[in-house]
């Protein structure tokens, strides 16, 4: 499957890892604590955007000001994610594809999560030893939908971006893959993997 590509790049949340409820639970508690409205469709549209950028978008959208800085709110949400992640993450069916390709061609994870969090989640899900590199939002100056995350994955694997295939669930991630000059697979359409995240 997909043998014409030299390397594989997976998005993490909603693609390689079923973690929608982890982030929804953490976001709902965080937004409620800081009196920021919870708009499910807006949150779903921001899937893949790093926490601190999501906060800035939400506060601007709703005209909300907070006493705590965006960084403080970000840190609160990320600490909450770490405290509950073991209850809410599991690998998706793509784990079998990753196992089949392990050692045969390089694989990376390119995610809007921060690198340390991504490594913890991938470890909990038994996926960390299957991939060669993990590129989080903290490793690039412009996260998805900019191409930087996926281009860094390609550079670390030493593979031409045009020879990389990206697996994604989020529209912003698919835009990032296109901007990087990479083909992508919509995991919902191709594999029936649906992110259980802020469903209406």
């Amino acid at each position: 499957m997909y043998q014409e590509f030299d390397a594989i790049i997976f998005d993490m949340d909603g693609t390689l890892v079923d973690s929608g409820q982890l982030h929804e639970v953490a976001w709902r508690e965080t937004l409620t604590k800081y009196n920021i409205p919870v708009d499910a469709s807006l949150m779903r549209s921001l899937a893949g955007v790093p926490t601190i950028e999501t906060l800035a978008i939400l506060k601007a959208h709703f005209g909300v000001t907070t006493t705590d800085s965006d960084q403080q709110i970000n840190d609160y949400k990320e600490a909450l994610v770490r405290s509950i992640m073991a209850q809410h993450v599991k690998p998706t069916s793509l784990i079998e594809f990753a196992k089949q390709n392990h050692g045969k061609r390089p694989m990376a994870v390119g995610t809007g999560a921060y690198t340390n969090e991504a490594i913890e989640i991938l470890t909990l899900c038994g996926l960390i030893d299957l991939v060669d590199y993990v590129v989080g939002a903290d490793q690039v100056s412009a996260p998805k939908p900019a191409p930087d995350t996926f281009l860094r994955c390609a550079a670390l694997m030493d593979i031409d971006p045009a020879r990389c295939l990206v697996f994604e669930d989020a529209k912003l991630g698919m835009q990032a893959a296109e901007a990087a000059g990479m083909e992508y697979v919509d995991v919902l359409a191709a594999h029936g993997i649906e992110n259980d995240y802020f469903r209406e």
Side-chain angles (χ1 to χ4, degrees), residues 117-160:
E117 176 187 307
I119 290 170
E120 286 183 57
I121 289 173
L122 292 167
T123 301
L124 281 169
C125 291
L127 292 160
I128 193 66
D129 292 333
L130 298 178
V131 297
D132 302 291
Y133 300 98
V134 178
V135 176
D138 50 304
Q139 294 186 43
V140 296
S141 56
K144 303 174 192 178
D148 303 36
T149 300
F150 293 147
L151 290 174
R152 177 161 171 76
C153 288
L156 289 170
M157 294 187 292
D158 195 24
I159 301 291
D160 183 335

Side-chain angles (χ1 to χ4, degrees), residues 19-159:
S19 57
Q21 283 303 292
L22 167 66
H23 293 288
E24 180 171 342
V25 168
W27 268 121
R28 285 187 183 277
E29 179 169 325
T30 301
L31 296 177
T32 300
K33 175 179 172 64
Y34 290 98
N35 296 309
I36 301 171
V38 178
D39 181 320
S41 60
L42 177 57
M43 292 303 295
R44 194 164 176 84
S45 75
L46 295 172
V49 177
T51 299
I52 200 158
E53 282 87 350
T54 298
L55 281 168
I57 292 167
L58 293 175
K59 288 170 70 174
H61 179 82
F62 292 112
V64 173
T65 57
T66 56
T67 303
D68 286 0
S69 69
D70 287 1
Q71 187 62 54
Q72 288 172 306
I73 302 172
N74 175 93
D75 292 347
Y76 176 85
K77 190 254 181 180
E78 294 306 309
L80 185 56
V81 164
R82 286 193 300 274
S83 73
I84 65 173
M85 67 170 57
Q87 305 164 45
H88 292 289
V89 295
K90 61 184 178 182
T92 68
S93 59
L94 282 176
I95 189 174
E96 297 305 323
F97 179 71
K99 287 177 178 177
Q100 291 162 12
N101 284 273
H102 179 55
K104 296 178 181 176
R105 51 183 164 176
M107 294 186 289
V109 168
T111 176
Y114 303 115
T115 305
N116 287 341
E117 176 187 307
I119 290 170
E120 286 183 57
I121 289 173
L122 292 167
T123 301
L124 281 169
C125 291
L127 292 160
I128 193 66
D129 292 333
L130 298 178
V131 297
D132 302 291
Y133 300 98
V134 178
V135 176
D138 50 304
Q139 294 186 43
V140 296
S141 56
K144 303 174 192 178
D148 303 36
T149 300
F150 293 147
L151 290 174
R152 177 161 171 76
C153 288
L156 289 170
M157 294 187 292
D158 195 24
I159 301 291

